[in-house]
Amino acid sequence: QFALSSSWYNGALSTYFMMTVKFGISQTDFARKFEAWLHILSIFYPLITAIVGAILGVYHEIKVGIGCWVAEYPEGCGCNAELDEHGECCISSIIGWVFGGAPAILVFVAILVNNLLVFLHVRRTIHRGRRHTIEAVQSHTIQSHDPQIKRIQMVASQAFLYVVAYLLTYC
């Protein structure tokens, strides 16, 4: 369960990129206003849910693959909406969604949206830069800004590759 903190940190990192690239927030301002909260969220949500799950005894060996996670809670319950001898139905899937499923989807959507915003900002900047470059070349007052445009394109590629790498490793 605590391993989900790496996923949360990926979401925090994409938030940092989006805030600094798209909104122009300085590294100092980001650190002062947001960084502590992102660290707290990335560490304590997975840690607290791991501790609560261990105390409640919701972690059991999973039926597919090796390892353990939320399964058969309460222990001995009837799964697939069947009731056990005590009349209890399994709530493992609800706990699983609260502890891991919903946060994982939230992080994935945040990474996707953040990087899409960075890409659209970069694309808009490239188009503006090309328009100004063409106007400047036509007026013979300034040279082309090709290195700057190439750098912005690299940022867009990096954002795209970041999302792809996240998908390949976590999904």
Side-chain angles (χ1 to χ4, degrees):
Q1 177 64 28
F2 186 65
L4 291 175
S5 64
S6 65
S7 182
W8 283 84
Y9 267 113
N10 275 297
L13 196 57
S14 76
T15 300
Y16 168 75
F17 291 141
M18 187 262 305
M19 299 287 279
T20 56
V21 172
K22 176 158 177 43
F23 297 110
I25 293 177
S26 72
Q27 208 171 15
T28 305
D29 285 344
F30 184 86
R32 188 169 27 87
K33 295 176 184 176
F34 304 105
E35 188 172 1
W37 290 108
L38 291 173
H39 283 295
I40 289 168
L41 185 63
S42 297
I43 292 172
F44 286 106
Y45 185 84
L47 181 62
I48 289 170
T49 55
I51 291 170
V52 167
I55 290 170
L56 293 177
V58 301
Y59 301 118
H60 296 88
E61 185 177 354
I62 56 175
K63 294 182 189 323
V64 178
I66 56 172
C68 65
W69 203 57
V70 177
E72 293 185 26
Y73 184 78
E75 197 164 335
C77 64
C79 292
N80 297 327
E82 297 173 13
L83 300 178
D84 70 357
E85 64 274 359
H86 304 292
E88 292 182 298
C89 186
C90 287
I91 58 170
S92 307
S93 60
I94 295 169
I95 294 171
W97 276 104
V98 171
F99 280 19
I105 290 170
L106 176 68
V107 167
F108 171 71
V109 169
I111 288 172
L112 191 62
V113 168
N114 289 344
N115 282 281
L116 181 63
L117 290 172
V118 168
F119 171 75
L120 292 173
H121 174 75
V122 168
R123 195 175 95 191
R124 189 172 38 251
T125 302
I126 288 170
H127 289 299
R128 255 190 255 136
R130 284 184 179 157
R131 189 171 2 115
H132 292 299
T133 300
I134 290 169
E135 291 169 2
V137 168
Q138 287 174 345
S139 66
H140 303 292
T141 59
I142 198 165
Q143 295 293 324
S144 173
H145 293 294
D146 284 342
Q148 181 182 9
I149 292 171
K150 287 180 182 176
R151 181 175 177 193
I152 293 171
Q153 288 171 329
M154 287 174 54
V155 169
S157 296
Q158 186 177 14
F160 173 76
L161 292 173
Y162 182 84
V163 173
V164 170
Y166 178 82
L167 283 174
L168 291 175
T169 56
Y170 290 101
C171 293

